[in-house]
Amino acid sequence: MDLTISTIIGDFILIAGSFLLLIFLVKKYAWGNITSILDQRAEKISSDIDGAELARKKAEELASKREAELAGSRTEAKTIIENAKETAEKSKADILAEAKLEAGRLKEKANQEIAQNKAEAIQSVKGEVADLTISLAGKLSLKTLTVRPIKNSLISVLIS
């Protein structure tokens, strides 16, 4: 291969001319499309970044709102628990008071029944003692006694 300066310069001019022609053709026919595609891509990236920022802010707002609601729920739960404890204490006191009253009523009723049974038992014993006394007096005495006046007088004597 024979390389001379004239062939090198000729090749250089041909390549430079081809390159300039290629730049001219790209500029005239393709450059507008390429720049519009790149501009659209830049706008899409920018809007995606803005959308991501808005979504992040919205997520932060929702998280803070959720935290506030959670704190409110905790406070409400504490209030409900405290009210339930107070109600339980009141119910406990009411039940205890009612149980004491019922126990007092039952005790009083039992005491009344005991007193009534005691009085009945004493009355019954008095009658039996009077009958036994009259029977004993009749056996011991030779005289004929009228039972009724003696019985009444013996009962009076024994009672007092």
Side-chain angles (χ1 to χ4, degrees), residues 121-154:
I122 290 173
Q123 200 64 356
S124 173
V125 169
K126 283 182 184 179
E128 289 178 17
V129 168
D131 289 340
L132 288 174
T133 305
I134 291 174
S135 174
L136 183 63
K139 289 180 182 177
L140 293 176
S141 168
L142 296 174
K143 295 181 184 176
T144 305
L145 300 172
T146 55
V147 177
R148 195 150 299 272
I150 292 176
K151 184 177 179 182
N152 287 340
S153 65
L154 282 176

Side-chain angles (χ1 to χ4, degrees), residues 61-75:
E61 289 174 5
L62 289 174
S64 64
K65 183 179 178 182
R66 186 192 57 176
E67 287 294 325
E69 289 175 354
L70 184 60
S73 296
R74 286 182 183 148
T75 304

Side-chain angles (χ1 to χ4, degrees), residues 76-125:
E76 185 177 344
K78 278 184 178 180
T79 304
I80 290 171
I81 290 171
E82 289 174 5
N83 289 341
K85 285 180 181 179
E86 289 174 6
T87 303
E89 288 296 322
K90 287 178 184 177
S91 295
K92 177 184 170 184
D94 291 345
I95 290 170
L96 287 175
E98 188 176 321
K100 285 181 182 180
L101 286 174
E102 184 66 23
R105 282 193 298 263
L106 291 175
K107 185 177 178 182
E108 182 63 32
K109 185 177 178 182
N111 286 337
Q112 289 175 353
E113 287 179 4
I114 290 170
Q116 182 180 358
N117 289 340
K118 182 178 176 183
E120 289 174 1
I122 290 173
Q123 200 64 356
S124 173
V125 169

